[in-house]
């Protein structure tokens, strides 16, 4: 079963193909949506969503498909995703029961599940999304998980491509910004990966202590290396922005302070 | 951009045209719904809804359109609508960001946002609905706001017209009724405006202290004047009901006690 | 008005006809869904749902119908269902007002409303579902109520039929199992009724104190008697399972401890 969980699991060529498909759709080539008519997308939300949910639902409807939207803890009871735990809490059902059932009703499953931000390694392992994928018998789509927001990454790629008239060889800077509360790393992870896959020079700039996930950085660096572009991580945000063709401003929490929101706010 | 926010912003002739359109639809003339097929209505709910939400969603579906329903604070995170405030609370996004995005996905936006009932002047200014309209690039439809419930007003007009075999020259009395808790003025505002626009003699009857919004009363009075019908506000509810062809019984809170629910209950 | 509230209200022949219809649909005979195209099903949820909600919504969509899903206390305000009570609490509307309105928008109404588990007689009387049926002008479908889960019962019948290659004369055992919290009796009630209607020998096995509803047991026993099959209730769960062709393992709370969750957990 082929899932859509992470940019890091696909090749830059595959990702470029998806952006090309999106361009065809945007130009009005409805044949590019040939997979959609009559299909049912079941969307499961562990967290709220505005752009992602509405754009997916509108896309399914406009191309003659259907979307069923389910909120965990609202429309649905709470779900357990860990294996081997005693389920005597408020999770009435395990993902291993729920997911195969939902796969009988839908042609694909889409899941939003934000980072818990208590343990950076656990968030990087994407436990809830991976549990869905493990038990699914239809493709699973990541609508932002603990580790990545791959659709956002492709949308960013497409936007930069439109604004700059191409991405290859352009200089992309992802720069950290302050926020009143610590935010997940899923979006900056996917932005960095998308920029690398798009053939841009990638600079990631942030204060000390705000390192992104090492495996994600390695993957982005290796894609840049293969494309012959530069990849750098720096604490000099000012220079990184000055020399960029595209600046991506985003806040994320410090993994060192995970689980300590009071310290993060300072 | 033409919005549907308030009866007071349209002419009685325009409103009569909408009621005539509704009559065609009710008679089964599907051509009257020519705007709907293939269109996506994005509905945003700051508050619950039974009739309005279900009737809009059913209408979109029955006429081959689509509806996407989003609850603020549930499906969506909370939204800030005020300009110039520091967003360090629980509103994760501003209406000025959210609304233009939703307008990219939908062909029209519909919003329900009840009165806060803390400040009568603020409710009359309809701050949330007006913020949506300000930032929208597609038509915004009022599904009941702080100040008005214009669709309810037209439905009341149509019902009275059906029951009495016409509205012109008939005597309409809107009379206040007690309730266990203070209710908003949106519905009585729209009922009074609809009755005036429909060419009825309008009497509004309530105890002292329960005055409706002055601008709404002025608009209703001026429409009655232009139509040659009588407009009156009275504290004599008994007489007002006795002399009416149609009595509209509705509760609303006293603007003088806004923000003081304990006093309202007494 | 014909409703779908309880297996007990239909004859075994009618129920067998519904299972036969489901088999036609499962074989891909879309003509079996001739009632669905263009129809709007309004689904009202007093409680969460995963399988039932998603399967109903997907079925409506796949057969060219529509589903509108409303959660009570979320999308909708709270609803009062009792007659003759003073509505000064948080229920903003009575079922007698809400249901006729929803019936104007939908072609059928579906309701999920779990047992309260405070009073076994009240749960058996299914007060909320029955209030919906009383005021409805379109068919009402039970998506699991306090007393029964009739669609689940038919699905169980169909599954056993598929697995055993027929149900007539087979031995069905419904056996109680422990759970961390007391669960409603709706599912075991419908399972027992479905097994009896399907022509199976029915044994219900549970510890003392876990008796199911007497009227349900009487109905199942009378169906077995008419079909010439055996019906038994026993405390010997081990033997009941050993001698069965199909074992249905389910937990439910003790009616004797209703309203006393602490005692139930022990």
């Amino acid at each position: 079963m082929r899932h859509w969980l992470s940019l890091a699991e696909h090749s830059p060529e595959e990702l470029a193909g998806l952006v090309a498909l999106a361009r065809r759709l945007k130009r009005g080539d409805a044949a590019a949506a040939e997979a959609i008519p009559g299909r049912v997308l079941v969307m499961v939300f562990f967290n709220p969503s505005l752009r992602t949910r509405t754009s997916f639902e509108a896309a399914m409807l406009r191309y003659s498909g259907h979307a069923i939207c389910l909120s965990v803890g609202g429309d649905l009871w709470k779900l357990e995703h860990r294996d081997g735990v005693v389920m005597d809490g408020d999770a009435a059902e395990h993902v291993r029961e729920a997911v195969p059932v939902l796969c009988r009703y839908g042609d694909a499953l889409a899941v939003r599940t934000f980072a818990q931000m208590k343990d950076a390694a656990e968030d990087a392992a994407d436990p809830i999304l991976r549990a869905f994928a493990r038990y699914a018998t239809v493709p699973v789509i990541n609508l932002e998980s603990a580790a990545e927001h791959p659709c956002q990454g492709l949308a960013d790629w497409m936007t930069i491509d439109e604004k700059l008239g191409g991405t290859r060889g352009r200089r992309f800077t992802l720069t950290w910004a302050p926020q009143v509360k610590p935010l997940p790393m899923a979006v900056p992870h996917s932005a960095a990966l998308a920029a690398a896959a798009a053939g841009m020079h990638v600079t990631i700039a942030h204060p000390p202590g705000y390192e992104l996930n090492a495996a994600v950085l390695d993957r982005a660096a290796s894609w840049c290396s293969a494309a012959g572009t530069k990849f750098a991580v720096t604490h000099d945000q000012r220079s990184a922005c000055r020399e960029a063709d595209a600046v991506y401003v985003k806040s994320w929490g410090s993994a060192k302070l995970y689980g300590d929101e009071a310290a993060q706010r300072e």
Side-chain angles (χ1 to χ4, degrees), chain A residues 242-254:
Chain A
R242 201 164 36 219
E243 296 156 8
D245 296 308
V247 175
Y248 195 103
V249 183
K250 183 75 185 82
S251 189
W252 62 88
S254 166

Side-chain angles (χ1 to χ4, degrees), chain A residues 42-258:
Chain A
V42 176
M43 302 172 79
V44 178
F45 293 91
F46 285 80
N47 306 96
S49 172
L50 189 141
R51 288 156 184 72
T52 305
R53 180 238 164 102
T54 312
S55 61
F56 267 79
E57 190 170 356
M60 291 304 296
L61 295 171
R62 287 187 187 279
Y63 292 115
S64 304
H66 311 288
I68 294 177
C69 294
L70 305 169
S71 65
V72 178
D75 303 316
L76 310 182
W77 36 75
K78 292 194 180 172
L79 298 172
E80 178 60 66
H81 66 278
R82 297 165 297 171
D83 284 331
V85 299
V86 175
M87 286 176 58
D88 56 1
D90 57 357
E93 183 164 3
H94 198 281
V95 161
R96 72 164 65 205
E97 302 288 342
V99 167
V101 167
L102 293 176
C103 292
R104 302 285 293 272
Y105 306 140
D107 297 294
L109 213 56
V111 186
R112 161 155 292 196
T113 167
F114 284 168
Q116 304 290 323
M117 303 200 65
K118 287 174 185 160
D119 177 332
E122 186 178 313
D123 282 345
D126 240 348
I128 296 179
L129 181 71
R130 296 288 162 179
F132 268 73
R134 188 155 56 248
Y135 299 115
T137 57
V138 299
V140 173
I141 295 168
N142 181 352
L143 301 174
E144 184 174 342
S145 67
E148 271 213 50
H149 194 350
C151 295
Q152 178 69 53
L154 292 194
D156 293 332
W157 176 342
M158 191 168 163
T159 300
I160 293 169
D161 184 54
E162 288 178 357
K163 297 294 181 191
L164 299 186
T167 55
R168 201 151 300 276
R170 304 306 175 98
R171 293 164 304 176
F172 173 89
T173 289
L174 166 62
T175 190
W176 183 89
Q179 229 272 0
V180 289
K181 62 175 188 174
L183 297 180
M185 294 182 186
V187 168
H189 283 169
S190 292
L193 288 165
M200 293 195 271
H201 302 290
V202 174
T203 301
I204 301 173
H206 56 72
Y210 286 82
E211 287 70 30
L212 293 174
N213 178 264
V216 168
L217 296 179
D218 285 351
R219 176 57 47 101
S222 77
W223 283 350
C224 284
S225 171
T229 56
K230 282 174 281 186
F231 177 85
V233 176
T234 175
H235 296 156
D236 182 356
Q237 296 184 253
R238 193 176 300 262
S239 300
C241 291
R242 201 164 36 219
E243 296 156 8
D245 296 308
V247 175
Y248 195 103
V249 183
K250 183 75 185 82
S251 189
W252 62 88
S254 166
K256 295 192 173 159
L257 301 175
Y258 260 36

